[in-house]
Amino acid sequence: MGTIFRKQWGKTFLLPVAKGIVLLAIAGCTNQTTTSPTEVSPSPQPVTNSTVKQTQSAPTTENFRQVTVLQGLEHPWGIAWLPDGTMLITERPGRLRVVRNGKLEPTPVTGVPEVFAVNQGGLLDVSVHPNFAENRLIYLTYAHGTEQANRTRVARARFDGKALQDVRVIFEVNRTKSGGQHFGSRILWLPDRTMLISIGDGGNPPVRLDGDLIRKQAQNLQSHLGKIVRLNDDGTIPKDNPFVGNNNANSAIWSYGHRNIQGIAFDPINNQVWVNEHGARGGDELNLVQAGKNYGWPVVSYSREYSTGEPVSAQKSQPGMVDPKTVWTPATAPSGLAFYNGDRFPQWQGNLFSGGLVSRDVRRITLDKAGNVLSQESIAISQRVRDVRQGPDGLLYILTDEQDGQLIRLEPVAQKPKE
């Protein structure tokens, strides 16, 4: 076909491999050239692992419908709900939008910090403090700086319904980088009211830092790049973070060896943290993350180099590094992750829902009690999926990453009685 990047997807096959890892091979495509290589899939590469065995994927679910709630959003990135049901939605160019009673207010929220809106950079995630009703606090992640020197920041502000007040930067990545790639940056609240923030590794080759490829910062415990950090709600460091007291590590770090996490979700049933993260030219991962653990990037990986197609690493697994639960090759470009525990779809309880920018779908992932992937189902959205969230009404909400982006809701459909 003579093209590198592709976007129109067809059939799916579920292929489990050794150590509980799953490779999901996807076929069929047309051109996709509007985003950087980290968020698109190159031409599919054949699966050559001799241990791969083909199995059946989960049957297609037909008891729901897709409802377009809103359109006209410019590259929306994150969504959060206030206690009264009002929605906050970020647009990557730097706007925070309000949706009340299902209608998008025409005027964006004022007081949003200036953002570095280039390539993957801009205004990214939004999150509401668990005690918002008392303190009115919301949190934003965003790219800040210039083409030559930029980084991910976290800001906290009070929201009065129309404007942000008392805006304060409570965290910023401790190294600046060049270019517009790999900022992260999802926010997740834990039951103890601390927050996790995902930070990307800084970018693809040839981007460098300290004389070496910047992606190697993911293994540097003194750098925030390629990490999940854990903070108190004011940006201070929790005393029980895994590297507190370690003079060779930054005390904000909670886990490391990540490439670019753009989906993070909490399972309140099993008290588990799940993430999905971008690989390079395949090798996207679903990880069950624990404090202090190393997830391998770029020392171990299923990814291939964009420039040559050669493996990023000769090793896919190594002692002391945690294997992914699922690997998607070719890439889905995962973004947005939700753990479903609502009552509107009882048959989906305990499932993960992972959005795909390139696959243009949402993957429904079933798990066993140990956190192993049992099956996957593709829910076609036909647009680049940027975020997936469970709403307070127990329904699933999806943001699409388009110039004319949409907010889509999945709703149950009553089943007809059998005759």
Side-chain angles (χ1 to χ4, degrees):
M1 298 174 61
T3 59
I4 295 178
F5 305 132
R6 309 187 178 244
K7 74 174 182 179
Q8 188 176 359
W9 294 72
K11 297 181 179 179
T12 63
F13 303 92
L14 188 63
L15 305 175
V17 298
K19 294 191 177 182
I21 297 172
V22 177
L23 292 174
L24 189 64
I26 305 172
C29 29
T30 60
N31 249 357
Q32 165 64 297
T33 58
T34 60
T35 59
S36 72
T38 61
E39 295 188 352
V40 296
S41 174
S43 303
Q45 302 295 314
V47 178
T48 58
N49 191 325
S50 61
T51 65
V52 170
K53 296 179 181 179
Q54 183 169 328
T55 63
Q56 295 297 316
S57 62
T60 302
T61 302
E62 298 179 351
N63 63 338
F64 66 91
R65 63 185 176 186
Q66 297 182 28
V67 177
T68 300
V69 180
L70 294 173
Q71 54 190 29
L73 297 164
E74 185 177 359
H75 295 288
W77 213 94
I79 181 172
W81 283 264
L82 302 181
D84 65 359
T86 297
M87 298 180 189
L88 300 177
I89 297 176
T90 56
E91 292 178 306
R92 189 158 44 83
R95 293 181 293 273
L96 179 62
R97 310 300 300 273
V98 176
V99 180
R100 287 191 173 94
N101 301 316
K103 295 183 179 180
L104 179 67
E105 296 196 345
T107 304
V109 174
T110 60
V112 173
E114 182 180 355
V115 306
F116 172 66
V118 173
N119 203 346
Q120 296 168 19
L123 184 59
L124 303 175
D125 211 5
V126 56
S127 186
V128 174
H129 193 286
N131 296 331
F132 176 86
E134 290 79 35
N135 59 31
R136 310 293 297 182
L137 292 175
I138 71 165
Y139 295 75
L140 300 170
T141 62
Y142 60 101
H144 175 266
T146 66
E147 179 71 28
Q148 292 72 38
N150 56 74
R151 64 181 108 205
T152 301
R153 277 183 167 181
V154 181
R156 186 179 80 173
R158 299 189 190 278
F159 180 54
D160 65 8
K162 294 184 178 180
L164 299 185
Q165 307 288 344
D166 305 322
V167 179
R168 183 167 70 89
V169 176
I170 64 168
F171 172 84
E172 65 177 12
V173 170
N174 59 358
R175 301 300 305 274
T176 60
K177 65 181 190 63
S178 61
Q181 298 178 341
H182 300 191
F183 295 94
S185 56
R186 292 292 178 190
I187 301 172
L188 175 69
W189 289 95
L190 297 177
D192 64 0
R193 298 298 194 262
T194 62
M195 55 195 303
L196 302 181
I197 301 101
S198 64
I199 308 296
D201 70 352
N204 298 311
V207 181
R208 303 175 74 84
L209 184 66
D210 295 339
D212 207 344
L213 294 177
I214 195 170
R215 68 187 182 194
K216 293 185 179 181
Q217 292 291 310
Q219 292 294 320
N220 178 1
L221 284 174
Q222 294 180 334
S223 169
H224 292 146
L225 293 169
K227 311 297 190 301
I228 295 176
V229 299
R230 177 171 172 252
L231 307 172
N232 293 315
D233 65 355
D234 61 356
T236 58
I237 307 300
K239 295 180 180 179
D240 59 347
N241 266 8
F243 297 104
V244 168
N246 184 337
N247 293 331
N248 297 316
N250 185 282
S251 58
I253 294 172
W254 193 74
S255 65
Y256 63 110
H258 302 291
R259 184 171 179 268
N260 194 27
I261 294 171
Q262 292 191 345
I264 186 167
F266 184 73
D267 168 4
I269 299 171
N270 299 298
N271 197 39
Q272 294 173 333
V273 174
W274 289 90
V275 302
N276 60 22
E277 53 188 292
H278 290 259
R281 198 168 181 176
D284 295 344
E285 296 183 359
L286 176 71
N287 281 301
L288 178 56
V289 186
Q290 295 178 312
K293 300 294 186 181
N294 182 356
Y295 290 81
W297 176 259
V299 177
V300 299
S301 178
Y302 282 78
S303 295
R304 293 181 175 272
E305 300 286 7
Y306 288 113
S307 58
T308 64
E310 294 298 316
V312 167
S313 171
Q315 304 297 320
K316 295 182 173 65
S317 183
Q318 187 169 300
M321 298 181 180
V322 182
D323 292 331
K325 293 295 185 180
T326 294
V327 172
W328 290 288
T329 296
T332 67
S335 187
L337 186 68
F339 180 88
Y340 188 79
N341 65 344
D343 58 3
R344 301 296 299 276
F345 293 99
Q347 73 277 17
W348 287 356
Q349 288 178 353
N351 293 177
L352 286 170
F353 289 81
S354 176
L357 291 159
V358 171
S359 56
R360 295 157 64 91
D361 68 355
V362 174
R363 300 293 164 89
R364 182 174 73 88
I365 303 167
T366 61
L367 308 165
D368 65 17
K369 293 182 179 180
N372 298 309
V373 172
L374 297 177
S375 65
Q376 300 185 44
E377 170 194 340
S378 174
I379 300 172
I381 303 300
S382 301
Q383 299 181 64
R384 289 164 51 85
V385 174
R386 174 60 74 183
D387 202 7
V388 182
R389 301 286 174 117
Q390 178 183 321
D393 55 6
L395 300 175
L396 280 173
Y397 289 79
I398 297 161
L399 286 177
T400 66
D401 179 35
E402 308 286 346
Q403 184 67 30
D404 183 12
Q406 297 183 359
L407 174 66
I408 296 170
R409 183 172 60 224
L410 301 188
E411 299 179 351
V413 175
Q415 297 295 296
K416 295 181 179 180
K418 294 181 179 180
E419 296 180 355

